[in-house]
Amino acid sequence: MTEQNRHTASEMLAILSARQLKEGQVVFAGIGVPLLAATLAQRLRCPGLTILFEGGVIGAFVEPGKLPPSTNDQRCTKRANMVLGSAEVLLLLQRGYVDVGFMGGAQIDKYGNLNSSFIGDPEKPKTRLPGTGGGNDISSLTNMIVAMKHEKRRFVDQVDFITSPGFIRGGKSRAESGLPEGGMFRVITELAVFGFDETSRRMKVLALNPGITREQVQDNTGFDLIFDDQVSITEPPTEHELITLRMLDPDRLFIA
């Protein structure tokens, strides 16, 4: 936790991510910071936000202190609008009913491709990761928000494996690969908020977090970043945002 701002990096991720969501949207959220961010937005600004889980829950309303450890946990179902099978929920993606996908990943590259499959040589990987789950479906069919810790080993020039496609090779390559809709919308880290250049589709710094310099962001990134012509400074977390977030996760399972 920083002494200056009195919040952790994970709290910063959740709060900045929550600010990206809008009233009336349908968001496909993963467990952890994505769920916290969606729930925080629902509590503070977007009561009409509909949260979907891969396990089949539509319209989840998570109770404070009862954060589910997985999308199949029964705590997800209380006060939900509907509970379906996983296949039916993924069909909603294909039918265009989901506005935003919200995930994390082990690696992300300059075009927003995510890797959650393995690190290293595919024949002899250094580390095996959980894999895609519904990640490929979500990133292929929605506008994506990614929240992750900012480290050079995570922000790489080219991911070891594309588990969830962003803008693939940049330019028009996503549409040319058969994915005309969606794409990477925002990447949120404890250092900055990123978008993607409209033409090249390369990652671009839109805003720096308080006290962070351009040099810090670039030094922690494994590829050359684009900086927006008018890079802004994000508003620090408010007391109300922090109190609500800590109420949702009193045991600090995800915000430590």
Side-chain angles (χ1 to χ4, degrees):
M1 182 180 295
T2 61
E3 185 63 28
Q4 180 183 1
N5 298 314
R6 299 177 294 108
H7 57 260
T8 67
S10 294
E11 286 174 332
M12 188 74 167
L13 288 181
I15 289 169
L16 292 182
S17 298
R19 293 175 183 173
Q20 304 297 322
L21 299 172
K22 298 177 182 178
E23 173 67 10
Q25 286 183 324
V26 177
V27 56
F28 211 125
I31 291 300
V33 169
L35 170 59
L36 268 178
T39 304
L40 183 65
Q42 192 182 58
R43 294 267 176 175
L44 294 183
R45 300 182 298 101
C46 311
L49 185 73
T50 300
I51 302 173
L52 271 64
F53 289 143
E54 187 180 337
V57 176
I58 299 176
F61 190 86
V62 178
E63 294 185 16
K66 296 183 179 179
L67 292 168
S70 80
T71 58
N72 293 310
D73 191 278
Q74 286 301 301
R75 279 170 287 190
C76 299
T77 65
K78 188 174 182 180
R79 295 183 63 185
N81 295 333
M82 190 179 295
V83 181
L84 303 172
S86 295
E88 284 83 358
V89 170
L90 293 176
L91 281 172
L92 293 176
L93 284 167
Q94 297 180 21
R95 293 169 181 156
Y97 287 111
V98 182
D99 300 302
V100 178
F102 203 158
M103 295 192 301
Q107 288 182 326
I108 190 168
D109 66 22
K110 59 188 174 185
Y111 297 123
N113 302 304
L114 285 172
N115 174 21
S116 56
S117 295
F118 60 82
I119 302 296
D121 186 335
E123 297 299 322
K124 293 182 179 180
K126 297 177 184 176
T127 306
R128 292 189 181 276
L129 302 168
T132 178
N136 186 284
D137 301 74
I138 297 167
S139 66
S140 294
L141 299 164
T142 67
N143 291 304
M144 285 290 298
I145 298 174
V146 171
M148 59 192 295
K149 296 289 181 68
H150 202 128
E151 299 173 318
K152 205 164 191 174
R153 61 175 182 154
R154 293 176 178 268
F155 281 69
V156 296
D157 187 63
Q158 183 176 339
V159 293
D160 292 340
F161 182 81
I162 298 179
T163 309
S164 305
F167 292 111
I168 307 181
R169 296 176 302 279
K172 299 178 180 179
S173 61
R174 180 179 170 94
E176 291 169 350
S177 298
L179 301 174
E181 302 298 329
M184 199 59 63
F185 173 59
R186 291 288 183 270
V187 177
I188 312 293
T189 79
E190 72 274 23
L191 301 183
V193 175
F194 304 84
F196 289 80
D197 182 73
E198 288 293 327
T199 303
S200 69
R201 295 303 191 180
R202 283 182 54 198
M203 194 180 293
K204 177 169 67 173
V205 180
L206 301 180
L208 298 171
N209 292 341
I212 303 299
T213 66
R214 294 184 179 216
E215 290 74 23
Q216 280 178 279
V217 179
Q218 184 60 74
D219 288 346
N220 284 279
T221 305
F223 53 86
D224 289 337
L225 288 164
I226 300 172
F227 286 83
D228 193 55
D229 292 337
Q230 296 181 324
V231 175
S232 61
I233 304 297
T234 60
E235 291 292 328
T238 67
E239 197 69 22
H240 186 43
E241 287 173 323
L242 286 169
I243 288 171
T244 306
L245 184 63
R246 291 165 184 171
M247 175 192 70
L248 292 171
D249 188 9
D251 297 324
R252 305 186 75 82
L253 297 175
F254 302 118
I255 60 175

